[in-house]
Amino acid sequence: MNFLECVKMAFSSIRANKMRSLLTMLGIIIGISAVITITTIGNSLHKIVDDAFGQFSTNIYDVGLSRKNYDTDEIAPYSREDFLTYKTQYDIAEKYPGYFELCDSEGFANGTVRNEDDEISVSITGVQSGYLEFMDIDIISGRGITYRDDIERKYTAVVTESFAEDYGKGDSILGKPVTISIDESEEIEVYVVGICKDNSKDVLSEGTHKSYKVFIPYLTVFDYYGVDIDNLYTTWMTFLWNKEYGKDVTFARLQSYFDKIYENNEYWTMKVYDWYSDDVDDINNVLKMVTLAFAVIAAISLLVGGIGVMNIMLVSITERTSEIGIRKALGAQNSAIRVQFVTEAIVLSLLGGIIGILLGLGSSYLIGAVGKIVLDRMSKGTSSIVITIAPSIAAIIISVLCSMAIGLIFGYYPANRAAKMNPIDALRYD
Amino acid sequence: MPESIISLKNINKSFNIGMENELQILFDISLDIKEGEFVSIVGSSGAGKSTLMNILGLLDTATSGEYILNRNNISSHSESELSKIRNAEIGFVFQTFNLIPRMNALKNVELPMLYKGYSAKKRREHALELMEMVEMSDRCEHYPNQLSGGQKQRVSIARAMANDPSIILADEPTGALDTATGRKIMDIFHELNKKKGKTIILITHSPELAQETDRIITISDGKIISDSEVK
């Protein structure tokens, strides 16, 4: 007897007892639909959080001067020796090439650029090589300010799109020198190497005002003013870490670098902070906990559902004792009877699982739609949060497998009991 | 002289072995049934007819003794091998019909072929032929509860014939039927015996029906007390 015959038989038996089959499936339907709803909502929230936070760079470390020991009331004395110079950042970038990008900026000046018959005012900012990425400003053509540009104090520049358009004609500005007058008396000449977007995607900067900005290398600014970064002290630095190397490695490299410097310092050290990914991690951890809690509840309801299946299979087998006897008399082997009833249990719980999945998806989309309406009302349509329902494919696959497993596990015992029935006793049963 | 299709030697059957209420039902039963014979086994209720039939039909095994079916010593066979032999060699006809109520007549007839592993198409074709043989072609889609007793018994005969077994075991096949209907059922058995050469073992407590067969074996208190050919 082949598998298809068994499935057909299972369906005919389920159809013969529609109401009872449905009630039996109820436990599994509720369990699976709960699992699907919760995982879908969890998954969707995860995605929403990621999208919201993804508007900022999350691969950022702040490093700040910090007390080594907080347990004491003693006031820690500090002096210039406790601070680091701006050059430290460059030392780190040199020591671990590719691991970190520096992302400081320094306002340089406002200037004017003469364009045929017009004058355009621009603001000039000195930026390190990671600044544009840090601010989420995309380069649309050419290149950004590189580390080499920075340490070689070059007069390269990245200009904003609006500036490029209004000064020259789009890309034509690339590779060209631009002369910017500062304070009427002085002027600098920069070579445009790249064009970037006007605004970052930063949700905080509203509107699409035209902005005429010119970014030049950071050290060029200091060089212009004749300031040596060896003489500039700081207690705070920001690094953009390379995602390729991962959080753990980059964090450890950075912290141990500072630890070595402050090894012999009695009171102070530089501490690496990972606010951004910590925040996202916190929210995701809460989501995970909630999902887990619901998963446990769902698992209990699946267990109850499974016991329901077992119960109904036992009832069904008792009711069909004589049928089993007849089948055996006609030559059904024990294995054929066992397969028949196990298949019936699997089909029953799989059917419950599929109904559960559909119900779970339905309610997730319903909750999503309600959430959207509530959000729109509350924010009067200005919210930048986009609600997307993202069903977890893994959860759906696991649910299908899980409901089949329930059928198999809870159907095996009754089926085996049917298979081992003595045909004579079974035939005599009425 | 045809060969013995069934040969029982010193068959004993006890229940509840080793317990206080141990009960021996069959005592030293030895008998030979030849291919193509129409044999009746008679006896009052409780004589051990049904137990003997269960053993003959491989639904039960003897406590001791030897059973050779079709030159096959079945005493040493496993349960699943017995299922296969039962499926291929023996057709059952019961007093209470024992059709599966959830399945229509045709599906009931197909059942033995399902366990033999025939394809759905082959099962259906053969089942239709069998239904025609028992003159039930117009009742194929009927469910057992839509059929009369006589019709049900025809369906169960068709089912018994499904795998073309060499032996048909009929346990009081007319017991639940009125005389006229029972007569027709008996005619079918005679026809199967004469035309198809089936060995038929009829278990009955009716002396009149037994007289129609070739040979009557009488059982009382678990022993064969007479075994005689009918003239």
Side-chain angles (χ1 to χ4, degrees), chain A residues 128-142:
Chain A
Q128 291 177 324
S129 53
Y131 177 81
L132 293 180
E133 186 192 337
F134 174 66
M135 293 303 287
D136 227 341
I137 301 171
D138 293 337
I139 300 286
I140 47 181
S141 69

Side-chain angles (χ1 to χ4, degrees), chain A residues 1-2 5 8-9 12-14 16-17 320 322-323 325-334 336-337 340 344 419-424 427-428 430, chain B residues 15 54 57-60 79-81 83-84 86-87 90 92 94 96 98-103 108 111-112 114-120 123 159 163:
Chain A
M1 195 168 62
N2 67 33
E5 299 286 349
K8 262 196 232 162
M9 245 194 272
S12 91
S13 142
I14 289 167
N17 286 302
R320 282 150 71 186
S322 66
E323 176 187 323
I326 296 163
R327 287 178 184 275
K328 287 192 136 188
L330 298 181
Q333 296 183 23
N334 290 0
I337 301 286
Q340 182 194 338
E344 198 173 313
K420 291 214 169 119
M421 252 177 214
N422 184 340
I424 307 165
L427 277 173
R428 218 180 279 141
D430 258 320
Chain B
F15 288 99
N54 287 340
L58 307 178
L59 291 171
D60 204 352
E79 207 177 324
S80 83
E81 284 169 326
S83 297
K84 275 186 201 155
R86 191 158 63 224
N87 181 245
I90 298 164
F92 288 95
F94 301 98
T96 51
N98 281 337
L99 298 173
I100 294 178
R102 264 185 321 107
M103 303 167 103
N108 266 287
L111 211 49
L114 176 72
Y115 291 117
K116 198 159 189 181
Y118 287 168
S119 72
R123 291 202 305 264
R159 183 179 66 182
N163 287 338

Side-chain angles (χ1 to χ4, degrees), chain A residues 203-224:
Chain A
V203 280
L204 304 174
S205 62
E206 296 288 339
T208 51
H209 305 298
K210 283 186 172 181
S211 70
Y212 300 134
K213 281 183 190 160
V214 174
F215 300 104
I216 61 172
Y218 188 69
L219 295 180
T220 311
V221 172
F222 291 96
D223 207 43
Y224 183 86

